[in-house]
Amino acid sequence: MKYKPDTPYHVKLFLCEVKTEVIKGAAKKTVSETGKAVYCSFRTFGGTEKTVNGLISVEDTAVVETWYRPDINSGSVFRDMSGKTYEVIGTPENIEMANRVLKFKIRAIKGGV
């Protein structure tokens, strides 16, 4: 049975290039300001609640679904139209292993990469 997306891919995200260099023994990541346009569905569901030191906070997360691209992986970083930066959480799921659709979760990066 072929998987059919529920929602149209009309949200534009930019897949940014991430470079890692070691400076004085510490890895430093830099993210390019621009990237390749990726059209996708973007659903936030209000974020994800998590408890840190007994305090409840809401982490800015979203579920993204897009056409299959082999360059999207667990280390990928995206920017939206407003400039907000997101990182992929976990490994993107290749739906039905058909190389047609990817589904993954992202979270907002705060305070730099």
Side-chain angles (χ1 to χ4, degrees):
M1 180 176 219
K2 288 191 175 183
Y3 176 82
K4 293 184 181 179
D6 299 353
T7 56
Y9 298 159
H10 65 279
V11 176
K12 189 177 188 180
L13 294 178
F14 297 97
L15 177 60
C16 299
E17 185 179 338
V18 179
K19 292 182 182 175
T20 305
E21 58 182 323
V22 178
I23 301 174
K24 295 184 181 178
K28 172 125 170 95
K29 289 184 180 179
T30 55
V31 178
S32 63
E33 290 295 318
T34 59
K36 302 172 196 169
V38 176
Y39 288 90
C40 58
S41 66
F42 186 90
R43 297 181 303 246
T44 62
F45 304 111
T48 303
E49 287 185 10
K50 68 179 196 178
T51 305
V52 179
N53 296 330
L55 298 173
I56 297 173
S57 64
V58 178
E59 188 176 39
D60 193 3
T61 60
V63 175
V64 176
E65 192 173 293
T66 189
W67 296 115
Y68 177 81
R69 291 179 60 131
D71 56 346
I72 297 176
N73 54 41
S74 61
S76 296
V77 174
F78 292 90
R79 286 192 198 273
D80 64 9
M81 297 296 284
S82 68
K84 196 172 198 177
T85 308
Y86 297 90
E87 65 182 343
V88 175
I89 303 171
T91 305
E93 180 183 358
N94 181 2
I95 305 288
E96 295 181 351
M97 299 301 285
N99 293 350
R100 291 186 61 227
V101 177
L102 278 179
K103 191 171 190 176
F104 52 94
K105 195 167 189 177
I106 59 176
R107 77 171 155 227
I109 300 174
K110 297 185 181 179
V113 177

